[in-house]
Amino acid sequence: MAVPSATFAIGRTRISHLSDGVATGPRRFWFTGAEPSEWMPVVGVDDPDTPFPVTFGGFVVTGDGHVTLVDGGWGHRAHEIPGLAGAGRLLDGLAALGIAPADVDQIVQTHLHADHCGWLIRDDEGSLTFPNATVHVHEREAAYWTGDDVKAIPFNHGMADKVRARLRAVENAGRLRLFDGDLALSEEMRIVRTHGHTPGHVSVVVTDGPDTAILAGDLAHHPAHVEHHCWLPSVDEEPSESVRSREKIAALAADTEAIVLAPHFPIPTAVQVGRDPGGKIKTVARDDLQEKE
């Protein structure tokens, strides 16, 4: 069975959304800050506990002289996640695009939750999945996950040690690059700060010619989040900062008429962002923007 994927053209650059598994379940905790009667019509459900699909995976960006992975799914133990269909097949998705692990020369971790950094290693011994890749992590994110405060958050109890092991493996191999502020990866691609979901969360902006895409990480779990900035997942660690980051990215997307992509969106969803005649940000979730085979 083919791995769910979709490729979006941004000028001559290509961005492919790859699945590492799909779970189905209720997600009312993604919309704290609003009553169910407010968010349900936007999401398209009539019961707050209606199950809907959630993708876990990442993106690969090509065409700018690099092969860049942005987030890496659950990893080699994905099959242990209850209810995760198609678990652990991100590498198969890369192979279907003609990309071998050794071809990946850059990895951007939007953040270090376990469902985003799993494929940094390929086995329990800590062998690197992508041996030639420089792994970019914001220094605030790395400091948080290696510090004493991370386990104060109950949500992190089960993943902190796993995250540390993955980060340590990359660092021991000399492949870790920490950065502060924003960072240009090529003429077409740059990392921008979007802290809030985690202390060092970042997003990736890809611009090629007149086209722009924003890989938003967990700044947006659902397409509705691109417009409704105060509907926050309960796991956002710095809520006020997260709202500011959403406002920042939505304004950037509107000003550049960008599409917004995020790893938890159902494949092949993209959110088209613009402004109405009065200047208000408007969004449309679309599933028809991917390249056709």
Side-chain angles (χ1 to χ4, degrees), residues 142-188:
Y144 174 68
W145 285 96
T146 56
D148 296 332
D149 293 338
V150 64
K151 292 188 178 181
I153 306 296
F155 180 73
N156 295 333
H157 287 176
M159 72 172 80
D161 290 340
K162 296 176 182 178
V163 171
R164 290 174 177 181
R166 294 164 186 169
L167 203 58
R168 185 167 54 249
V170 173
E171 185 174 22
N172 289 344
R175 307 304 306 185
L176 180 64
R177 179 179 179 185
L178 303 181
F179 64 96
D180 188 18
D182 298 345
L183 179 67
L185 297 175
S186 68
E187 291 186 2
E188 293 80 10

Side-chain angles (χ1 to χ4, degrees), residues 224-282:
H225 290 146
V226 181
E227 186 169 343
H228 299 277
H229 306 140
C230 294
W231 297 358
L232 295 174
S234 60
V235 295
D236 274 15
E237 296 190 25
E238 299 175 339
S240 59
E241 191 72 20
S242 187
V243 170
R244 284 192 290 270
S245 291
R246 286 182 174 190
E247 292 172 344
K248 167 185 172 180
I249 286 300
L252 173 62
D255 291 343
T256 58
E257 298 185 341
I259 61 170
V260 173
L261 305 167
H264 293 308
F265 288 180
I267 295 174
T269 305
V271 177
Q272 185 76 61
V273 186
R275 294 187 187 274
D276 66 19
K280 182 180 178 181
I281 292 173
K282 61 178 182 179

Side-chain angles (χ1 to χ4, degrees), residues 75-136:
H76 73 285
R77 287 188 170 271
H79 62 281
E80 299 176 358
I81 308 299
L84 192 64
R89 298 195 60 201
L90 185 139
L91 298 186
D92 294 335
L94 286 172
L97 296 173
I99 298 171
D103 297 332
V104 177
D105 66 320
Q106 297 187 134
I107 297 173
V108 178
Q109 290 296 151
T110 64
H111 62 299
L112 290 172
H113 278 154
D115 58 316
H116 290 256
C117 68
W119 280 113
L120 288 179
I121 59 174
R122 59 181 174 85
D123 54 38
D124 291 342
E125 285 67 49
S127 303
L128 298 188
T129 306
F130 306 100
N132 299 320
T134 298
V135 180
H136 299 277

Side-chain angles (χ1 to χ4, degrees), residues 37-51:
S37 59
E38 185 179 358
W39 62 260
M40 285 191 304
V42 177
V43 174
V45 299
D46 54 14
D47 184 316
D49 293 316
T50 299

Side-chain angles (χ1 to χ4, degrees), residues 24-35:
T24 301
R27 289 294 187 274
R28 68 158 69 208
F29 71 94
W30 280 3
F31 306 103
T32 60
E35 293 297 322

